[in-house]
PDB file of all heavy atoms in Angstrom:
ATOM      1  N   ARG A 109      95.009 -19.732  38.845  1.00  0.00           N
ATOM      2  CA  ARG A 109      96.211 -20.344  39.420  1.00  0.00           C
ATOM      3  C   ARG A 109      95.974 -21.776  39.906  1.00  0.00           C
ATOM      4  O   ARG A 109      96.840 -22.373  40.538  1.00  0.00           O
ATOM      5  CB  ARG A 109      96.782 -19.488  40.567  1.00  0.00           C
ATOM      6  CG  ARG A 109      96.874 -18.011  40.268  1.00  0.00           C
ATOM      7  CD  ARG A 109      97.612 -17.245  41.327  1.00  0.00           C
ATOM      8  NE  ARG A 109      99.053 -17.415  41.179  1.00  0.00           N
ATOM      9  CZ  ARG A 109      99.964 -16.840  41.959  1.00  0.00           C
ATOM     10  NH1 ARG A 109      99.570 -16.061  42.947  1.00  0.00           N
ATOM     11  NH2 ARG A 109     101.257 -17.038  41.765  1.00  0.00           N
ATOM     12  N   ARG A 122      96.587 -22.933  43.597  1.00  0.00           N
ATOM     13  CA  ARG A 122      97.940 -22.406  43.389  1.00  0.00           C
ATOM     14  C   ARG A 122      98.958 -23.558  43.308  1.00  0.00           C
ATOM     15  O   ARG A 122      99.971 -23.583  44.004  1.00  0.00           O
ATOM     16  CB  ARG A 122      98.351 -21.441  44.498  1.00  0.00           C
ATOM     17  CG  ARG A 122      99.542 -20.547  44.149  1.00  0.00           C
ATOM     18  CD  ARG A 122     100.011 -19.736  45.355  1.00  0.00           C
ATOM     19  NE  ARG A 122     101.122 -18.876  45.012  1.00  0.00           N
ATOM     20  CZ  ARG A 122     102.402 -19.272  44.973  1.00  0.00           C
ATOM     21  NH1 ARG A 122     102.719 -20.524  45.270  1.00  0.00           N
ATOM     22  NH2 ARG A 122     103.358 -18.427  44.636  1.00  0.00           N
ATOM     23  N   ILE A 203     113.422 -19.318  45.317  1.00  0.00           N
ATOM     24  CA  ILE A 203     113.553 -17.916  45.733  1.00  0.00           C
ATOM     25  C   ILE A 203     113.172 -17.005  44.556  1.00  0.00           C
ATOM     26  O   ILE A 203     112.478 -16.005  44.726  1.00  0.00           O
ATOM     27  CB  ILE A 203     114.994 -17.618  46.203  1.00  0.00           C
ATOM     28  CG1 ILE A 203     115.255 -18.291  47.550  1.00  0.00           C
ATOM     29  CG2 ILE A 203     115.229 -16.111  46.318  1.00  0.00           C
ATOM     30  CD1 ILE A 203     116.681 -18.153  48.043  1.00  0.00           C
ATOM     31  N   TYR A 204     113.625 -17.381  43.370  1.00  0.00           N
ATOM     32  CA  TYR A 204     113.254 -16.633  42.159  1.00  0.00           C
ATOM     33  C   TYR A 204     111.735 -16.646  41.969  1.00  0.00           C
ATOM     34  O   TYR A 204     111.121 -15.597  41.694  1.00  0.00           O
ATOM     35  CB  TYR A 204     113.947 -17.229  40.936  1.00  0.00           C
ATOM     36  CG  TYR A 204     113.454 -16.664  39.617  1.00  0.00           C
ATOM     37  CD1 TYR A 204     113.971 -15.468  39.124  1.00  0.00           C
ATOM     38  CD2 TYR A 204     112.470 -17.329  38.892  1.00  0.00           C
ATOM     39  CE1 TYR A 204     113.510 -14.942  37.929  1.00  0.00           C
ATOM     40  CE2 TYR A 204     112.002 -16.804  37.696  1.00  0.00           C
ATOM     41  CZ  TYR A 204     112.523 -15.617  37.212  1.00  0.00           C
ATOM     42  OH  TYR A 204     112.055 -15.094  36.028  1.00  0.00           O
ATOM     43  N   LEU A 205     111.122 -17.818  42.130  1.00  0.00           N
ATOM     44  CA  LEU A 205     109.676 -17.921  41.947  1.00  0.00           C
ATOM     45  C   LEU A 205     108.927 -17.080  42.976  1.00  0.00           C
ATOM     46  O   LEU A 205     107.948 -16.387  42.642  1.00  0.00           O
ATOM     47  CB  LEU A 205     109.232 -19.383  42.052  1.00  0.00           C
ATOM     48  CG  LEU A 205     109.662 -20.327  40.926  1.00  0.00           C
ATOM     49  CD1 LEU A 205     109.178 -21.745  41.224  1.00  0.00           C
ATOM     50  CD2 LEU A 205     109.136 -19.858  39.578  1.00  0.00           C
ATOM     51  N   ILE A 206     109.370 -17.112  44.228  1.00  0.00           N
ATOM     52  CA  ILE A 206     108.697 -16.358  45.286  1.00  0.00           C
ATOM     53  C   ILE A 206     108.808 -14.858  45.047  1.00  0.00           C
ATOM     54  O   ILE A 206     107.828 -14.122  45.189  1.00  0.00           O
ATOM     55  CB  ILE A 206     109.277 -16.738  46.669  1.00  0.00           C
ATOM     56  CG1 ILE A 206     108.838 -18.148  47.069  1.00  0.00           C
ATOM     57  CG2 ILE A 206     108.827 -15.743  47.743  1.00  0.00           C
ATOM     58  CD1 ILE A 206     109.436 -18.644  48.362  1.00  0.00           C
ATOM     59  N   THR A 207     109.985 -14.394  44.684  1.00  0.00           N
ATOM     60  CA  THR A 207     110.173 -12.950  44.476  1.00  0.00           C
ATOM     61  C   THR A 207     109.408 -12.440  43.255  1.00  0.00           C
ATOM     62  O   THR A 207     109.161 -11.242  43.132  1.00  0.00           O
ATOM     63  CB  THR A 207     111.666 -12.605  44.306  1.00  0.00           C
ATOM     64  OG1 THR A 207     112.229 -13.421  43.262  1.00  0.00           O
ATOM     65  CG2 THR A 207     112.427 -12.850  45.603  1.00  0.00           C
ATOM     66  N   HIS A 208     109.029 -13.359  42.364  1.00  0.00           N
ATOM     67  CA  HIS A 208     108.217 -12.977  41.202  1.00  0.00           C
ATOM     68  C   HIS A 208     106.765 -13.451  41.341  1.00  0.00           C
ATOM     69  O   HIS A 208     105.972 -13.277  40.407  1.00  0.00           O
ATOM     70  CB  HIS A 208     108.820 -13.555  39.913  1.00  0.00           C
ATOM     71  CG  HIS A 208     110.101 -12.908  39.506  1.00  0.00           C
ATOM     72  ND1 HIS A 208     111.314 -13.218  40.101  1.00  0.00           N
ATOM     73  CD2 HIS A 208     110.380 -11.960  38.573  1.00  0.00           C
ATOM     74  CE1 HIS A 208     112.274 -12.495  39.547  1.00  0.00           C
ATOM     75  NE2 HIS A 208     111.741 -11.734  38.631  1.00  0.00           N
ATOM     76  N   ASN A 209     106.447 -14.023  42.517  1.00  0.00           N
ATOM     77  CA  ASN A 209     105.097 -14.514  42.795  1.00  0.00           C
ATOM     78  C   ASN A 209     104.601 -15.458  41.699  1.00  0.00           C
ATOM     79  O   ASN A 209     103.491 -15.322  41.186  1.00  0.00           O
ATOM     80  CB  ASN A 209     104.113 -13.355  42.976  1.00  0.00           C
ATOM     81  CG  ASN A 209     102.847 -13.789  43.707  1.00  0.00           C
ATOM     82  OD1 ASN A 209     102.751 -14.914  44.191  1.00  0.00           O
ATOM     83  ND2 ASN A 209     101.883 -12.899  43.780  1.00  0.00           N
ATOM     84  N   MET A 210     105.446 -16.400  41.344  1.00  0.00           N
ATOM     85  CA  MET A 210     105.106 -17.391  40.323  1.00  0.00           C
ATOM     86  C   MET A 210     105.098 -18.790  40.926  1.00  0.00           C
ATOM     87  O   MET A 210     105.695 -19.028  41.976  1.00  0.00           O
ATOM     88  CB  MET A 210     106.148 -17.396  39.199  1.00  0.00           C
ATOM     89  CG  MET A 210     106.096 -16.252  38.248  1.00  0.00           C
ATOM     90  SD  MET A 210     107.342 -16.545  36.946  1.00  0.00           S
ATOM     91  CE  MET A 210     107.126 -15.075  35.951  1.00  0.00           C
ATOM     92  N   ARG A 233     104.046  -9.215  31.289  1.00  0.00           N
ATOM     93  CA  ARG A 233     104.541  -9.305  32.659  1.00  0.00           C
ATOM     94  C   ARG A 233     103.577 -10.188  33.435  1.00  0.00           C
ATOM     95  O   ARG A 233     102.360 -10.071  33.281  1.00  0.00           O
ATOM     96  CB  ARG A 233     104.639  -7.922  33.307  1.00  0.00           C
ATOM     97  CG  ARG A 233     105.208  -7.972  34.725  1.00  0.00           C
ATOM     98  CD  ARG A 233     105.300  -6.603  35.357  1.00  0.00           C
ATOM     99  NE  ARG A 233     105.705  -6.683  36.758  1.00  0.00           N
ATOM    100  CZ  ARG A 233     105.773  -5.629  37.579  1.00  0.00           C
ATOM    101  NH1 ARG A 233     105.478  -4.418  37.122  1.00  0.00           N
ATOM    102  NH2 ARG A 233     106.142  -5.793  38.833  1.00  0.00           N
ATOM    103  N   HIS A 234     104.151 -11.047  34.254  1.00  0.00           N
ATOM    104  CA  HIS A 234     103.320 -11.951  35.055  1.00  0.00           C
ATOM    105  C   HIS A 234     102.315 -11.132  35.861  1.00  0.00           C
ATOM    106  O   HIS A 234     102.699 -10.245  36.637  1.00  0.00           O
ATOM    107  CB  HIS A 234     104.219 -12.758  35.988  1.00  0.00           C
ATOM    108  CG  HIS A 234     103.479 -13.749  36.820  1.00  0.00           C
ATOM    109  ND1 HIS A 234     102.683 -14.740  36.287  1.00  0.00           N
ATOM    110  CD2 HIS A 234     103.421 -13.908  38.173  1.00  0.00           C
ATOM    111  CE1 HIS A 234     102.171 -15.460  37.259  1.00  0.00           C
ATOM    112  NE2 HIS A 234     102.600 -14.986  38.411  1.00  0.00           N
ATOM    113  N   PRO A 235     101.017 -11.372  35.696  1.00  0.00           N
ATOM    114  CA  PRO A 235      99.998 -10.506  36.311  1.00  0.00           C
ATOM    115  C   PRO A 235      99.971 -10.519  37.830  1.00  0.00           C
ATOM    116  O   PRO A 235      99.432  -9.602  38.440  1.00  0.00           O
ATOM    117  CB  PRO A 235      98.679 -11.065  35.739  1.00  0.00           C
ATOM    118  CG  PRO A 235      99.003 -12.454  35.323  1.00  0.00           C
ATOM    119  CD  PRO A 235     100.424 -12.428  34.864  1.00  0.00           C
ATOM    120  N   PHE A 236     100.560 -11.538  38.466  1.00  0.00           N
ATOM    121  CA  PHE A 236     100.549 -11.597  39.924  1.00  0.00           C
ATOM    122  C   PHE A 236     101.841 -11.057  40.540  1.00  0.00           C
ATOM    123  O   PHE A 236     101.996 -11.075  41.761  1.00  0.00           O
ATOM    124  CB  PHE A 236     100.308 -13.032  40.389  1.00  0.00           C
ATOM    125  CG  PHE A 236      99.000 -13.604  39.910  1.00  0.00           C
ATOM    126  CD1 PHE A 236      98.965 -14.514  38.862  1.00  0.00           C
ATOM    127  CD2 PHE A 236      97.802 -13.205  40.487  1.00  0.00           C
ATOM    128  CE1 PHE A 236      97.764 -15.033  38.410  1.00  0.00           C
ATOM    129  CE2 PHE A 236      96.599 -13.711  40.043  1.00  0.00           C
ATOM    130  CZ  PHE A 236      96.578 -14.630  38.994  1.00  0.00           C
ATOM    131  N   ASP A 237     102.760 -10.600  39.704  1.00  0.00           N
ATOM    132  CA  ASP A 237     104.027 -10.025  40.163  1.00  0.00           C
ATOM    133  C   ASP A 237     103.804  -8.556  40.470  1.00  0.00           C
ATOM    134  O   ASP A 237     103.872  -7.702  39.595  1.00  0.00           O
ATOM    135  CB  ASP A 237     105.093 -10.212  39.077  1.00  0.00           C
ATOM    136  CG  ASP A 237     106.466  -9.715  39.516  1.00  0.00           C
ATOM    137  OD1 ASP A 237     106.599  -9.282  40.684  1.00  0.00           O
ATOM    138  OD2 ASP A 237     107.400  -9.746  38.695  1.00  0.00           O
ATOM    139  N   ILE A 238     103.547  -8.238  41.761  1.00  0.00           N
ATOM    140  CA  ILE A 238     103.194  -6.861  42.118  1.00  0.00           C
ATOM    141  C   ILE A 238     104.390  -6.071  42.672  1.00  0.00           C
ATOM    142  O   ILE A 238     104.486  -4.882  42.461  1.00  0.00           O
ATOM    143  CB  ILE A 238     102.009  -6.836  43.113  1.00  0.00           C
ATOM    144  CG1 ILE A 238     102.235  -7.807  44.275  1.00  0.00           C
ATOM    145  CG2 ILE A 238     100.731  -7.210  42.401  1.00  0.00           C
ATOM    146  CD1 ILE A 238     101.085  -7.877  45.258  1.00  0.00           C
ATOM    147  N   SER A 239     105.286  -6.699  43.399  1.00  0.00           N
ATOM    148  CA  SER A 239     106.556  -6.106  43.851  1.00  0.00           C
ATOM    149  C   SER A 239     107.270  -7.183  44.651  1.00  0.00           C
ATOM    150  O   SER A 239     106.628  -8.090  45.193  1.00  0.00           O
ATOM    151  CB  SER A 239     106.342  -4.856  44.710  1.00  0.00           C
ATOM    152  OG  SER A 239     105.862  -5.188  45.993  1.00  0.00           O
ATOM    153  N   VAL A 240     108.596  -7.079  44.735  1.00  0.00           N
ATOM    154  CA  VAL A 240     109.369  -8.139  45.383  1.00  0.00           C
ATOM    155  C   VAL A 240     108.921  -8.359  46.825  1.00  0.00           C
ATOM    156  O   VAL A 240     108.647  -9.501  47.239  1.00  0.00           O
ATOM    157  CB  VAL A 240     110.880  -7.826  45.338  1.00  0.00           C
ATOM    158  CG1 VAL A 240     111.661  -8.845  46.165  1.00  0.00           C
ATOM    159  CG2 VAL A 240     111.385  -7.829  43.899  1.00  0.00           C
ATOM    160  N   TYR A 241     108.833  -7.279  47.613  1.00  0.00           N
ATOM    161  CA  TYR A 241     108.483  -7.429  49.027  1.00  0.00           C
ATOM    162  C   TYR A 241     107.068  -7.973  49.204  1.00  0.00           C
ATOM    163  O   TYR A 241     106.835  -8.889  50.002  1.00  0.00           O
ATOM    164  CB  TYR A 241     108.610  -6.094  49.758  1.00  0.00           C
ATOM    165  CG  TYR A 241     108.239  -6.180  51.222  1.00  0.00           C
ATOM    166  CD1 TYR A 241     109.082  -6.816  52.138  1.00  0.00           C
ATOM    167  CD2 TYR A 241     107.030  -5.661  51.693  1.00  0.00           C
ATOM    168  CE1 TYR A 241     108.740  -6.923  53.472  1.00  0.00           C
ATOM    169  CE2 TYR A 241     106.673  -5.759  53.028  1.00  0.00           C
ATOM    170  CZ  TYR A 241     107.535  -6.394  53.913  1.00  0.00           C
ATOM    171  OH  TYR A 241     107.170  -6.500  55.238  1.00  0.00           O
ATOM    172  N   LYS A 242     106.111  -7.431  48.447  1.00  0.00           N
ATOM    173  CA  LYS A 242     104.734  -7.908  48.551  1.00  0.00           C
ATOM    174  C   LYS A 242     104.616  -9.348  48.093  1.00  0.00           C
ATOM    175  O   LYS A 242     103.852 -10.127  48.667  1.00  0.00           O
ATOM    176  CB  LYS A 242     103.802  -7.007  47.742  1.00  0.00           C
ATOM    177  CG  LYS A 242     103.585  -5.636  48.358  1.00  0.00           C
ATOM    178  CD  LYS A 242     102.602  -4.813  47.539  1.00  0.00           C
ATOM    179  CE  LYS A 242     102.379  -3.448  48.175  1.00  0.00           C
ATOM    180  NZ  LYS A 242     101.434  -2.613  47.358  1.00  0.00           N
ATOM    181  N   ASN A 243     105.372  -9.695  47.066  1.00  0.00           N
ATOM    182  CA  ASN A 243     105.360 -11.081  46.591  1.00  0.00           C
ATOM    183  C   ASN A 243     105.817 -12.033  47.692  1.00  0.00           C
ATOM    184  O   ASN A 243     105.224 -13.096  47.904  1.00  0.00           O
ATOM    185  CB  ASN A 243     106.275 -11.231  45.375  1.00  0.00           C
ATOM    186  CG  ASN A 243     105.738 -10.521  44.150  1.00  0.00           C
ATOM    187  OD1 ASN A 243     104.555 -10.210  44.065  1.00  0.00           O
ATOM    188  ND2 ASN A 243     106.611 -10.250  43.202  1.00  0.00           N
ATOM    189  N   ILE A 244     106.878 -11.648  48.387  1.00  0.00           N
ATOM    190  CA  ILE A 244     107.419 -12.495  49.462  1.00  0.00           C
ATOM    191  C   ILE A 244     106.417 -12.622  50.602  1.00  0.00           C
ATOM    192  O   ILE A 244     106.184 -13.725  51.113  1.00  0.00           O
ATOM    193  CB  ILE A 244     108.753 -11.915  49.985  1.00  0.00           C
ATOM    194  CG1 ILE A 244     109.823 -11.986  48.896  1.00  0.00           C
ATOM    195  CG2 ILE A 244     109.211 -12.681  51.229  1.00  0.00           C
ATOM    196  CD1 ILE A 244     111.121 -11.303  49.264  1.00  0.00           C
ATOM    197  N   THR A 245     105.805 -11.505  51.003  1.00  0.00           N
ATOM    198  CA  THR A 245     104.867 -11.542  52.133  1.00  0.00           C
ATOM    199  C   THR A 245     103.602 -12.334  51.791  1.00  0.00           C
ATOM    200  O   THR A 245     102.991 -12.928  52.683  1.00  0.00           O
ATOM    201  CB  THR A 245     104.474 -10.121  52.572  1.00  0.00           C
ATOM    202  OG1 THR A 245     103.910  -9.404  51.456  1.00  0.00           O
ATOM    203  CG2 THR A 245     105.682  -9.361  53.082  1.00  0.00           C
ATOM    204  N   LEU A 246     103.219 -12.358  50.532  1.00  0.00           N
ATOM    205  CA  LEU A 246     102.042 -13.127  50.142  1.00  0.00           C
ATOM    206  C   LEU A 246     102.277 -14.624  50.315  1.00  0.00           C
ATOM    207  O   LEU A 246     101.346 -15.379  50.589  1.00  0.00           O
ATOM    208  CB  LEU A 246     101.675 -12.831  48.684  1.00  0.00           C
ATOM    209  CG  LEU A 246     100.997 -11.480  48.409  1.00  0.00           C
ATOM    210  CD1 LEU A 246     100.848 -11.249  46.913  1.00  0.00           C
ATOM    211  CD2 LEU A 246      99.627 -11.411  49.091  1.00  0.00           C
ATOM    212  N   VAL A 247     103.531 -15.049  50.181  1.00  0.00           N
ATOM    213  CA  VAL A 247     103.859 -16.470  50.303  1.00  0.00           C
ATOM    214  C   VAL A 247     104.310 -16.828  51.717  1.00  0.00           C
ATOM    215  O   VAL A 247     103.836 -17.805  52.302  1.00  0.00           O
ATOM    216  CB  VAL A 247     104.957 -16.864  49.291  1.00  0.00           C
ATOM    217  CG1 VAL A 247     105.356 -18.326  49.473  1.00  0.00           C
ATOM    218  CG2 VAL A 247     104.485 -16.614  47.868  1.00  0.00           C
ATOM    219  N   LEU A 248     105.225 -16.028  52.272  1.00  0.00           N
ATOM    220  CA  LEU A 248     105.822 -16.357  53.571  1.00  0.00           C
ATOM    221  C   LEU A 248     105.166 -15.644  54.744  1.00  0.00           C
ATOM    222  O   LEU A 248     105.358 -16.044  55.889  1.00  0.00           O
ATOM    223  CB  LEU A 248     107.321 -16.029  53.543  1.00  0.00           C
ATOM    224  CG  LEU A 248     108.146 -16.737  52.466  1.00  0.00           C
ATOM    225  CD1 LEU A 248     109.609 -16.330  52.571  1.00  0.00           C
ATOM    226  CD2 LEU A 248     108.002 -18.247  52.577  1.00  0.00           C
ATOM    227  N   GLY A 249     104.413 -14.576  54.466  1.00  0.00           N
ATOM    228  CA  GLY A 249     103.736 -13.845  55.531  1.00  0.00           C
ATOM    229  C   GLY A 249     104.358 -12.490  55.790  1.00  0.00           C
ATOM    230  O   GLY A 249     105.525 -12.246  55.456  1.00  0.00           O
ATOM    231  N   TRP A 255     108.721 -16.169  58.815  1.00  0.00           N
ATOM    232  CA  TRP A 255     109.038 -16.698  57.488  1.00  0.00           C
ATOM    233  C   TRP A 255     109.634 -18.097  57.584  1.00  0.00           C
ATOM    234  O   TRP A 255     109.479 -18.901  56.669  1.00  0.00           O
ATOM    235  CB  TRP A 255     110.032 -15.779  56.771  1.00  0.00           C
ATOM    236  CG  TRP A 255     109.426 -14.498  56.268  1.00  0.00           C
ATOM    237  CD1 TRP A 255     108.149 -14.077  56.412  1.00  0.00           C
ATOM    238  CD2 TRP A 255     110.111 -13.464  55.547  1.00  0.00           C
ATOM    239  NE1 TRP A 255     107.973 -12.844  55.829  1.00  0.00           N
ATOM    240  CE2 TRP A 255     109.155 -12.449  55.299  1.00  0.00           C
ATOM    241  CE3 TRP A 255     111.424 -13.298  55.106  1.00  0.00           C
ATOM    242  CZ2 TRP A 255     109.492 -11.288  54.603  1.00  0.00           C
ATOM    243  CZ3 TRP A 255     111.753 -12.143  54.416  1.00  0.00           C
ATOM    244  CH2 TRP A 255     110.795 -11.146  54.158  1.00  0.00           C
ATOM    245  N   HIS A 263      98.510 -15.981  57.455  1.00  0.00           N
ATOM    246  CA  HIS A 263      98.373 -14.919  56.474  1.00  0.00           C
ATOM    247  C   HIS A 263      97.660 -15.387  55.209  1.00  0.00           C
ATOM    248  O   HIS A 263      97.214 -14.575  54.400  1.00  0.00           O
ATOM    249  CB  HIS A 263      99.763 -14.395  56.078  1.00  0.00           C
ATOM    250  CG  HIS A 263     100.643 -15.446  55.466  1.00  0.00           C
ATOM    251  ND1 HIS A 263     101.254 -16.432  56.222  1.00  0.00           N
ATOM    252  CD2 HIS A 263     101.004 -15.688  54.175  1.00  0.00           C
ATOM    253  CE1 HIS A 263     101.958 -17.212  55.424  1.00  0.00           C
ATOM    254  NE2 HIS A 263     101.820 -16.791  54.179  1.00  0.00           N
ATOM    255  N   PRO A 271      95.854 -10.727  44.652  1.00  0.00           N
ATOM    256  CA  PRO A 271      96.061  -9.382  44.107  1.00  0.00           C
ATOM    257  C   PRO A 271      96.856  -9.449  42.811  1.00  0.00           C
ATOM    258  O   PRO A 271      97.737 -10.303  42.651  1.00  0.00           O
ATOM    259  CB  PRO A 271      96.864  -8.679  45.214  1.00  0.00           C
ATOM    260  CG  PRO A 271      97.505  -9.790  45.992  1.00  0.00           C
ATOM    261  CD  PRO A 271      96.557 -10.950  45.932  1.00  0.00           C
ATOM    262  N   LEU A 273      98.399  -7.077  39.121  1.00  0.00           N
ATOM    263  CA  LEU A 273      98.882  -5.776  38.638  1.00  0.00           C
ATOM    264  C   LEU A 273      97.714  -4.812  38.431  1.00  0.00           C
ATOM    265  O   LEU A 273      97.842  -3.617  38.656  1.00  0.00           O
ATOM    266  CB  LEU A 273      99.634  -5.954  37.325  1.00  0.00           C
ATOM    267  CG  LEU A 273     101.038  -6.532  37.408  1.00  0.00           C
ATOM    268  CD1 LEU A 273     101.550  -6.868  36.014  1.00  0.00           C
ATOM    269  CD2 LEU A 273     101.985  -5.550  38.087  1.00  0.00           C
TER     270      LEU A 273
END
Side-chain angles (χ1 to χ4, degrees):
R109 314 188 78 179
R122 197 187 181 277
I203 288 175
Y204 171 84
L205 291 178
I206 288 176
T207 54
H208 290 79
N209 199 7
M210 286 184 181
R233 182 180 174 185
H234 182 57
F236 300 104
D237 184 3
I238 48 182
S239 73
V240 173
Y241 179 73
K242 288 183 179 179
N243 291 341
I244 294 174
T245 57
L246 285 173
V247 177
L248 302 181
W255 286 2
H263 61 285
L273 284 170

